[in-house]
């Protein structure tokens, strides 16, 4: 069933979507701090005493950030939230409240927006934050989505990009490159679909790629490791890996006025990512360095703190070290050869 949004109108649509998210965390401290949510001109909440506020926003544009050919609305809602949640994790914070703005063209039905909100609500429930308002407008072209997320962090423990120190080790959470591997598979199957010419008989080849498809469509922001770091380790600098490892290393080094070395052979990759890059005659290391959308964390800590961290989790890898600024930013290959590490990664308008 495809119900036109025009059959409801803006006010009725908002009320309809409100029912999907309104029942979250009725008895939680988040609800107690929320003085006014959806239904007024703004949401009103009482910040936690002694904490600073974190505010981040991300915009998703159809045709730039997502392709509705192979992205479900539920996955889109999750990923929209995940991008913002990852930013909060990178600052060592805890997510609190979100507002969303939607620009919807006439091709989008009420049922599609319902699925989008189910994905948003699922992510909010999973990571303990509440959607408290936003705006919904018509679009004459493609779909546009934007979320602003408010979080909190202890003032003395906020993790910035600018604190890296010479001698620090550079660490990442999880594995890298899998999100880009998943995207490559989806793009290939879209090309096969177009070439087939018969939508009814087409069967996508996706069964063998579940792990990387999930990494692309439903990335998991690393609030789990962020909490471990904030509670037990002195982090000097941190950033989330949204545009590829190479660009994030450059950003930390620029803000901290230091140089860096990244060891190519130490960058963690899934075996499935490696096999997919073989299928495309490409290099897995390039997916990790320049692919983006992994939403893992890159951070720098002292070697003394590293030993403490390794006793708390086995889901981090040391991929490099911080050096003096005049040494530059280099990629060190397994044979010891060093080359300049390009900025790389996704960048709008280029």
């Amino acid at each position: 069933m495809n119900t036109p949004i025009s059959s409801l109108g803006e006010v009725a649509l908002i009320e309809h979507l409100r029912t999907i998210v309104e029942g979250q965390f009725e008895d939680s401290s988040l609800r107690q701090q929320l003085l006014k949510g959806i239904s007024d001109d703004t949401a009103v909440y009482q910040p936690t005493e002694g904490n600073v506020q974190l505010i981040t926003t991300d915009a998703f544009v159809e045709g730039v950030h997502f392709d509705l050919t192979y992205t479900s609305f539920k996955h889109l809602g999750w990923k929209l939230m995940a991008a913002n949640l990852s930013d909060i994790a990178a600052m060592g914070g805890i997510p609190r409240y979100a507002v969303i703005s939607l620009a919807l063209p006439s091709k989008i039905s009420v049922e599609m927006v319902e699925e989008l909100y189910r994905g948003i609500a699922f992510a909010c429930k999973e990571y303990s934050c509440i959607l408290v308002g936003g705006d919904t407008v018509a679009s004459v072209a493609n779909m546009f989505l934007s979320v602003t997320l408010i979080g909190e962090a202890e003032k003395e423990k906020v993790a910035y990009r600018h604190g890296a120190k010479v001698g620090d080790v550079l660490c990442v959470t999880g594995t890298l490159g899998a999100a880009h591997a998943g995207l490559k598979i989806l793009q290939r199957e879209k090309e096969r679909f177009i070439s087939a010419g018969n939508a009814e008989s087409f069967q996508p080849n996706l069964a063998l790629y579940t792990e990387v498809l999930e990494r692309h469509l439903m990335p998991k922001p690393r609030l789990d490791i962020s909490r471990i770091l904030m509670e037990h380790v002195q982090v000097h600098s941190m950033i989330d890996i949204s545009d590829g490892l190479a660009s994030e290393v450059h950003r930390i080094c620029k803000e901290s006025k230091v140089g860096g070395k990244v060891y190519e052979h130490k960058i963690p990759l899934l075996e499935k990512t490696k096999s997919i890059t073989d299928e495309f005659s490409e290099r897995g290391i390039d997916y990790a360095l320049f692919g983006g959308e992994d939403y893992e964390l890159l951070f720098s800590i002292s070697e003394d703190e590293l030993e403490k961290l390794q006793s708390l989790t086995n889901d981090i890898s040391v991929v490099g070290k911080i050096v003096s600024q005049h040494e530059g930013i280099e990629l060190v290959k397994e044979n010891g050869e060093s080359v300049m590490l390009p900025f790389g990664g996704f960048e709008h308008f280029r």
Side-chain angles (χ1 to χ4, degrees):
M1 184 176 179
N2 288 304
T3 307
I5 291 175
S6 58
S7 69
L8 291 182
E10 179 189 1
V11 175
L13 177 64
I14 292 170
E15 281 301 310
H16 184 66
L17 297 174
R18 177 178 174 178
T19 63
I20 296 176
V21 297
E22 191 85 300
Q24 303 170 78
F25 311 107
E26 288 292 352
D27 299 321
S28 71
S29 60
L30 277 179
R31 279 289 176 195
Q32 293 168 16
Q33 287 178 259
L34 183 63
L35 306 181
K36 190 67 176 178
I38 299 171
S39 76
D40 222 308
D41 288 320
T42 73
V44 183
Y45 86 100
Q46 179 67 51
T48 305
E49 187 176 354
N51 282 6
V52 293
Q53 291 175 285
L54 309 174
I55 304 173
T56 184
T57 189
D58 272 288
F60 276 33
V61 180
E62 183 185 351
V64 178
H65 297 91
F66 61 93
D67 186 330
L68 292 176
T69 306
Y70 50 72
T71 305
S72 76
F73 281 88
K74 194 168 185 178
H75 282 136
L76 180 57
W78 172 282
K79 194 169 183 178
L80 180 63
M81 289 302 304
N84 287 270
L85 289 161
S86 185
D87 286 334
I88 297 294
M91 302 298 290
I94 298 171
R96 295 295 192 192
Y97 306 100
V99 294
I100 181 170
S101 293
L102 309 178
L104 303 173
S106 59
K107 68 181 180 181
I108 304 300
S109 69
V110 172
E111 289 77 14
M112 293 172 182
V113 185
E114 285 176 348
E115 281 300 290
L116 176 76
Y117 265 66
R118 288 189 182 100
I120 291 168
F122 183 28
C124 286
K125 184 173 183 180
E126 189 74 12
Y127 294 100
S128 299
C129 59
I130 299 178
L131 184 64
V132 295
D135 192 25
T136 306
V137 298
S139 168
V140 296
N142 284 347
M143 191 175 181
F144 174 87
L145 315 169
S146 178
V147 161
T148 297
L149 181 60
I150 297 170
E152 294 185 1
E154 292 182 46
K155 185 175 181 180
E156 303 305 320
K157 290 188 176 181
V158 179
Y160 297 99
R161 299 178 183 182
H162 64 242
K165 304 177 187 301
V166 174
D168 279 359
V169 290
L170 277 171
C171 304
V172 297
T173 60
T175 58
L176 305 181
H180 189 68
L183 175 62
K184 293 284 287 189
I185 296 299
L186 291 168
Q187 289 174 333
R188 183 184 70 185
E189 295 309 297
K190 179 182 177 180
E191 290 173 6
R192 288 184 61 234
F193 171 73
I194 293 170
S195 299
N198 187 344
E200 292 182 4
S201 63
F202 177 76
Q203 291 294 323
N205 178 21
L206 301 176
L208 297 176
Y209 306 103
T210 303
E211 189 173 16
V212 296
L213 293 175
E214 184 173 311
R215 294 292 187 95
H216 176 72
L217 295 170
M218 202 173 174
K220 306 297 194 298
R222 299 313 303 264
L223 286 150
D224 56 339
I225 301 295
S226 177
R227 291 320 314 148
I228 291 172
L229 291 170
M230 292 304 101
E231 291 172 7
H232 302 287
V233 178
Q234 185 177 357
V235 176
H236 290 159
S237 64
M238 188 154 65
I239 190 171
D240 78 319
I241 304 174
S242 55
D243 296 324
L245 177 62
S247 62
E248 315 306 0
V249 170
H250 271 270
R251 287 175 174 129
I252 278 183
C253 289
K254 178 183 178 182
E255 293 300 319
S256 301
K257 296 180 172 54
V258 295
K261 291 186 183 294
V262 176
Y263 300 105
E264 184 178 87
H265 61 285
K266 291 188 176 183
I267 296 175
L269 302 171
L270 288 175
E271 287 302 317
K272 195 62 182 179
T273 301
K274 295 176 186 177
S275 69
I276 289 169
T277 56
D278 290 342
E279 287 184 43
F280 287 95
S281 300
E282 295 173 335
R283 299 194 323 146
I285 197 69
D286 289 335
Y287 284 23
L289 288 171
F290 311 118
E293 293 200 311
D294 285 308
Y295 297 113
E296 297 288 347
L297 298 175
L298 167 70
F299 57 94
S300 74
I301 56 176
S302 69
E303 290 196 17
D304 290 342
E305 292 293 280
L306 174 64
E307 186 174 345
K308 184 192 303 181
L309 179 58
Q310 288 173 328
S311 71
L312 298 169
T313 176
N314 59 3
D315 200 18
I316 60 111
S317 301
V318 176
V319 296
K321 66 179 182 180
I322 298 296
V323 297
S324 61
Q325 190 172 28
H326 76 270
E327 294 182 66
I329 303 171
E330 295 182 328
L331 180 67
V332 182
K333 300 187 176 182
E334 195 164 6
N335 63 8
E337 177 189 356
S338 294
V339 297
M340 183 186 71
L341 179 65
F343 183 86
F346 181 79
E347 186 177 353
H348 289 279
F349 311 114
R350 294 191 65 179

